[in-house]
Amino acid sequence: LVLGESKGLGVLLGAIGIFALYWGFAGRPEDFGPPIWVSDKRAVEFMKLLDKDRVAAGFVVDLWVFGIFQGWLIDDDWKRRGRSMQEEKFLRNVAKFVPFFGLASYL
């Protein structure tokens, strides 16, 4: 069994992504303030962090670049699997244009 070809991998990675988003918006309120839907303190602190911390800003840029690069990765993997570019166009487009969760659904 190859882990990268497992159907459960996409579900697991999607669940981890949802938890990470929840944690970013609401995790550890005693340290980072109330959830983002209650107060804007967390968002303001995040913007301050991006303003003064080049590493944090670099990670945001990396996520943006990978979101763009993901489209090329999907097409190459689609060809590697021997599929026609006209097959399952909807799934391929979701995987190409929805960062992270599109790739998780593709897996």
Side-chain angles (χ1 to χ4, degrees):
L1 176 68
V2 177
L3 182 61
E5 301 292 330
S6 170
K7 296 291 183 191
L9 181 62
V11 174
L12 175 66
L13 293 176
I16 290 171
I18 289 171
F19 180 73
L21 283 174
Y22 170 77
W23 191 259
F25 289 125
R28 292 177 46 192
E30 63 278 357
D31 292 333
F32 301 111
I36 201 163
W37 52 84
V38 174
S39 168
D40 67 344
K41 180 182 180 214
R42 190 178 289 251
V44 169
E45 291 298 320
F46 181 66
M47 295 309 274
K48 285 182 189 175
L49 176 72
L50 290 179
D51 189 42
K52 67 180 179 180
D53 188 355
R54 289 175 54 170
V55 174
F59 277 119
V60 171
V61 171
D62 286 346
L63 289 172
W64 180 76
V65 168
F66 184 75
I68 293 170
F69 185 60
Q70 177 175 320
W72 285 295
L73 292 175
I74 295 298
D75 282 343
D76 285 348
D77 188 62
W78 200 265
K79 290 174 189 170
R80 179 189 66 84
R81 293 176 187 230
R83 293 179 164 176
S84 162
M85 294 305 271
Q86 301 305 317
E87 273 182 63
E88 300 179 43
K89 244 183 151 148
F90 178 75
L91 171 64
R92 196 168 58 90
N93 285 334
V94 166
K96 286 173 70 169
F97 300 118
V98 178
F100 186 78
F101 292 107
L103 190 57
S105 70
Y106 175 75
L107 292 176

